[in-house]
Amino acid sequence: QSFFGQVNLFRTHQSQYDRRRVGDPDPHRTHDPATIQLPPYYPDTPVVREIWAEYYDRITEMNEQFFHTLQLLKADGLDGDTIVIFLGDNGVGIPAGKIWVWEQGLHVPMIIRFPEKWQHMCSDTPGHVDKRMVSFVDFVPTVLSLCNVDIPGYVQGQIILGPNAVEREYCFATRDFHDGADFDTSRA
């Protein structure tokens, strides 16, 4: 029977940060702060390197959780029938990321896997990197379209996959107040 499932992995969420201090030994450390490459607009300091190393460590941990989720689909015999959409809900959760309306905060990860059975519904070849703009409001009409379900007129967004896919001309972000932690009171 058809299903829609959603799995939320919180390992890279901003609330998970700041649990270690610069120089503290960590048996789970996989990224050495001294060797990581920082974005060029960050000051090259031990504290900034620690923040980014922790972020990369958490991405590695999240990747392992996601791999486990895919293994569960395979163990249940559902991997050949399941279209998997992997995405983040915001950009990097550190300064200049999701708290500011900059590219680093607005650009989110998204990977879509169509099993061979459903490749005809994908407009690109496997491994293709698509540079089209996508907004979260596009997921509802896209999933409904892939399932051959009529899209109600009140549903916002555009279809981004399949034979009815269109290309978005604009994406919008807004600035709002979060929880008092944002000195510029901006958040996308």
Side-chain angles (χ1 to χ4, degrees):
Q1 179 171 336
S2 298
F3 71 93
F4 176 89
Q6 179 173 326
V7 177
N8 295 321
L9 305 173
F10 295 98
R11 199 66 189 129
T12 59
H13 191 267
Q14 188 175 6
S15 65
Q16 302 296 303
Y17 286 63
D18 198 28
R19 298 202 175 171
R20 48 186 129 151
R21 301 288 176 236
V22 175
D24 285 352
D26 182 353
H28 305 292
R29 161 81 1 114
T30 55
H31 295 86
D32 180 358
T35 62
I36 63 168
Q37 184 175 351
L38 295 174
Y41 43 87
Y42 279 89
D44 192 347
T45 68
V47 171
V48 170
R49 288 187 162 279
E50 178 65 31
I51 290 170
W52 276 91
E54 182 176 359
Y55 178 64
Y56 292 146
D57 285 350
R58 294 191 184 287
I59 290 173
T60 300
E61 294 166 3
M62 182 272 313
N63 283 344
E64 292 169 1
Q65 292 174 332
F66 183 63
F67 176 75
H68 178 69
T69 303
L70 294 177
Q71 292 303 102
L72 291 173
L73 279 174
K74 187 173 185 174
D76 288 340
L78 298 170
D79 59 321
D81 271 328
T82 305
I83 297 170
V84 176
I85 302 174
F86 171 89
L87 59 112
D89 68 339
N90 49 250
V92 177
I94 54 180
K98 76 177 191 175
I99 295 174
W100 296 354
V101 189
W102 291 2
E103 180 69 17
Q104 180 175 294
L106 300 177
H107 192 125
V108 301
M110 183 174 76
I111 302 171
I112 303 172
R113 182 194 65 101
F114 282 85
E116 188 174 331
K117 176 179 182 177
W118 301 111
Q119 280 293 314
H120 66 280
M121 298 173 77
C122 181
S123 52
D124 294 309
T125 58
H128 173 79
V129 175
D130 195 326
K131 299 288 187 180
R132 290 181 298 152
M133 291 184 288
V134 175
S135 182
F136 287 139
V137 297
D138 296 335
F139 290 107
V140 171
T142 297
V143 170
L144 291 174
S145 175
L146 290 175
C147 296
N148 286 324
V149 174
D150 289 334
I151 302 169
Y154 58 82
V155 170
Q156 297 179 25
Q158 299 176 347
I159 299 168
I160 60 169
L161 298 169
N164 299 318
V166 296
E167 196 158 331
R168 177 176 282 288
E169 187 175 353
Y170 301 101
C171 279
F172 296 92
T174 61
R175 295 168 56 114
D176 69 2
F177 185 70
H178 182 46
D179 63 2
D182 309 331
F183 69 88
D184 189 29
T185 64
S186 68
R187 180 178 164 90

